Amino acid sequence: GAVVSQHPSRVICKSGTSVKIECRSLDFQATTMFWYRQFPKQSLMLMATSNEGSKATYEQGVEKDKFLINHASLTLSTLTVTSAHPEDSSFYICSALAGAPYEQYFGPGTRLTVT
Amino acid sequence: AQTVTQSQPEMSVQEAETVTLSCTYDTSENNYYLFWYKQPPSRQMILVIRQEAYKQQNATENRFSVNFQKAAKSFSLKISDSQLGDTAMYFCAFKGRGTTSGTYKYIFGTGTRLKVLA
């Protein structure tokens, strides 16, 4: 149990366009999901905490108007990178909290390349 | 603010041998959780082991065990009988209520790249 999916796994987009990444909890409901960014050979950096039915909480330095997060249901959170630029190219990972003791389960990640 | 430090960027171990990965952290909280995650080349994060700070007994999961020293704020991972499939990045993570909102969040160390040699 506790499977989290992400779609797409890889995406290439042109500079200036927007791209949406979906994070789904497949077999459980998640009131809280997290979005991370991972640069090559580096650690996971928390971007924002997504709570179902409310606004996301962004970490310091993360532009909320650039990285739009919507957690409209208990099984789906989306991250939209707006007006993407090459420096937004990265590996984006979502996770969802499941049940007591509220373990964090990770999606497989999405590799975004902005050309 | 909480911090997590992994001082070993890379390590290697012979198959069937034992290796210990180090992790230190800093926090003013008393109730928190510590984790070790594995990230293989597929980049899927996998939970290896977790430790509740209020528990004195060190967590163990098969070949994986931790040495949790709360006073020293140290949380090392020992892998026994290393297998080729253990080759991966290992991240130490801290879970606490560091934000003013009181929401739990996770802080990750910079990772240790472990290579198991045949």
Side-chain angles (χ1 to χ4, degrees):
Chain A
V3 178
V4 177
S5 70
Q6 271 185 252
H7 178 78
S9 57
R10 291 175 180 267
V11 58
I12 301 173
C13 70
K14 292 187 181 297
S15 186
T17 63
S18 295
V19 61
K20 180 185 286 187
I21 302 170
E22 293 186 347
C23 177
R24 292 182 184 273
S25 56
L26 298 184
D27 50 1
F28 65 99
Q29 293 183 330
T31 55
T32 300
M33 292 184 174
F34 298 101
W35 286 96
Y36 295 89
R37 183 173 180 175
Q38 186 178 30
F39 291 102
K41 297 185 179 181
Q42 293 191 26
S43 187
L44 278 71
M45 299 299 296
L46 179 65
M47 299 176 64
T49 302
S50 170
N51 294 298
E52 186 267 338
S54 63
K55 291 183 178 180
T57 302
Y58 290 82
E59 294 300 303
Q60 192 172 10
V62 178
E63 299 177 60
K64 61 181 180 181
D65 294 331
K66 180 168 185 61
F67 298 99
L68 300 179
I69 292 172
N70 186 296
H71 193 158
S73 78
L74 288 172
T75 60
L76 174 64
S77 176
T78 60
L79 168 68
T80 302
V81 183
T82 62
S83 187
H85 290 285
E87 56 264 32
D88 298 325
S89 298
S90 192
F91 193 67
Y92 293 87
I93 304 175
C94 75
S95 70
L97 292 184
Y102 297 102
E103 290 290 2
Q104 179 175 214
Y105 294 90
F106 288 87
T110 296
R111 180 175 299 283
L112 169 64
T113 303
V114 184
T115 61
Chain B
Q2 294 94 345
T3 58
V4 177
T5 302
Q6 292 180 251
S7 58
Q8 304 153 314
E10 293 186 359
M11 292 191 73
S12 61
V13 61
Q14 288 293 135
E15 196 175 8
E17 296 294 311
T18 296
V19 64
T20 299
L21 309 183
S22 65
C23 173
T24 58
Y25 60 94
D26 191 24
T27 184
S28 58
E29 298 180 39
N30 194 47
N31 295 318
Y32 51 87
Y33 302 82
L34 296 164
F35 305 84
W36 279 97
Y37 287 93
K38 170 184 177 181
Q39 188 180 41
S42 68
R43 303 196 74 172
Q44 171 72 59
M45 295 286 286
I46 301 166
L47 175 65
V48 175
I49 200 165
R50 72 193 299 270
Q51 174 82 42
E52 292 91 340
Y54 64 86
K55 289 187 177 179
Q56 291 186 339
Q57 186 173 6
N58 290 324
T60 299
E61 285 288 341
N62 300 314
R63 297 183 295 109
F64 300 88
S65 61
V66 298
N67 183 3
F68 174 48
Q69 302 290 327
K70 190 173 183 179
K73 296 179 181 173
S74 171
F75 183 61
S76 62
L77 174 70
K78 184 171 80 171
I79 306 175
S80 304
D81 186 25
S82 297
Q83 300 176 359
L84 296 178
D86 295 334
T87 293
M89 279 289 285
Y90 286 82
F91 291 99
C92 178
F94 170 96
K95 173 185 172 183
R97 290 184 185 274
T99 63
T100 54
S101 68
T103 304
Y104 276 109
K105 69 181 218 181
Y106 292 74
I107 298 171
F108 287 80
T110 50
T112 296
R113 186 173 300 278
L114 176 68
K115 188 170 185 178
V116 179
L117 307 172

